[in-house]
Amino acid sequence: ILCILVLLAAVFILFRWYSYSNSDRIEHQNLNYAMDSARQSALRINGELTNAQRRVGNYAYLLSEMLNEPEVKTDVLRELEVNSDFDAFHFTNADGVNLASDGATCDSRDRDYFTNGMRGESGSTMVLQSRITNQTMMVFYAPLKYHQEMCGVLLGLYNAEDYLREILSTSY
């Protein structure tokens, strides 16, 4: 009986040790998987943001080559929206007047995309409350030139909530 009890105790101890080490191994594997997944997500998000910035820069360059005047009309903005994955395109002229594809306008002289864009810089920013849509927008901007002179800033916009939800979605 004593031998059976010792044997049962040994089996129980070995089973507990195996369960603990197996659980520890699985936890370590899950941590590695989560770290790899987070790294991949960060690379994917960085790639998406970089590509969006490049697309706006390319549209601005092509539009600069095609402009017949230092203004962008609403029909051109609508055409850009139809042929891109941006939710909207706006043009902010040199005076800071922001024009949407539906003809709505607002003053954008105090926005950083306008001041940076007029200095010839491209970039992205978050607008917490758009003066045209009243929504939070992710804005990608690039300077627009007419005959090598700065005439305004082209904006590619995403609805921030939808855009960020889409690029941050991850499944495990």
Side-chain angles (χ1 to χ4, degrees), residues 3-4 12 20 31 39 42 50 59 62-63 65 89 99-100 105 109 116 123-124 133 136-137 143 145 147 152:
C3 286
I4 292 175
F12 179 76
Y20 176 76
L31 179 62
R39 188 176 309 113
T50 300
Y59 286 128
L62 292 173
L63 200 53
E65 294 295 314
F89 272 93
L99 173 67
T105 61
R109 288 177 291 179
N116 293 341
S124 63
T133 65
T136 303
M137 303 298 287
K145 295 181 180 181
H147 295 301

Side-chain angles (χ1 to χ4, degrees), residues 9-140:
V11 167
F12 179 76
I13 291 171
L14 287 173
F15 179 75
R16 293 286 290 161
W17 172 79
Y18 173 77
S19 295
Y20 176 76
S21 59
N22 192 40
S23 174
D24 195 40
R25 182 183 56 79
I26 290 171
E27 185 178 323
H28 184 68
Q29 284 177 333
N30 287 342
L31 179 62
N32 284 340
Y33 176 74
M35 288 173 53
D36 287 342
S37 181
R39 188 176 309 113
Q40 290 295 327
S41 293
L43 290 172
R44 185 176 45 83
I45 291 166
N46 184 54
E48 175 61 35
L49 296 175
T50 300
N51 287 336
Q53 183 59 54
R54 283 186 188 138
R55 285 192 305 271
V56 168
N58 290 340
Y59 286 128
Y61 173 77
L62 292 173
L63 200 53
S64 293
E65 294 295 314
M66 297 181 341
L67 285 177
N68 297 325
E69 60 181 326
E71 292 288 324
V72 176
K73 304 293 184 199
T74 56
D75 58 333
V76 173
L77 295 173
R78 276 192 298 273
E79 187 69 27
L80 286 172
E81 288 173 358
V82 168
N83 293 310
S84 77
D85 62 345
F86 284 99
D87 294 329
F89 272 93
H90 291 186
F91 169 69
T92 305
N93 69 17
D95 296 325
V97 177
N98 190 342
L99 173 67
S101 63
D102 64 359
T105 61
C106 69
D107 182 9
S108 294
R109 288 177 291 179
D110 63 331
R111 300 287 194 182
D112 60 343
Y113 59 78
F114 172 71
T115 55
N116 293 341
M118 290 305 290
R119 286 194 307 249
E121 299 174 16
S122 296
S124 63
T125 188
M126 186 75 72
V127 174
L128 296 179
Q129 186 173 10
S130 168
R131 293 179 180 139
I132 292 178
T133 65
N134 290 322
Q135 294 180 333
T136 303
M137 303 298 287
M138 185 75 188
V139 180
F140 295 89

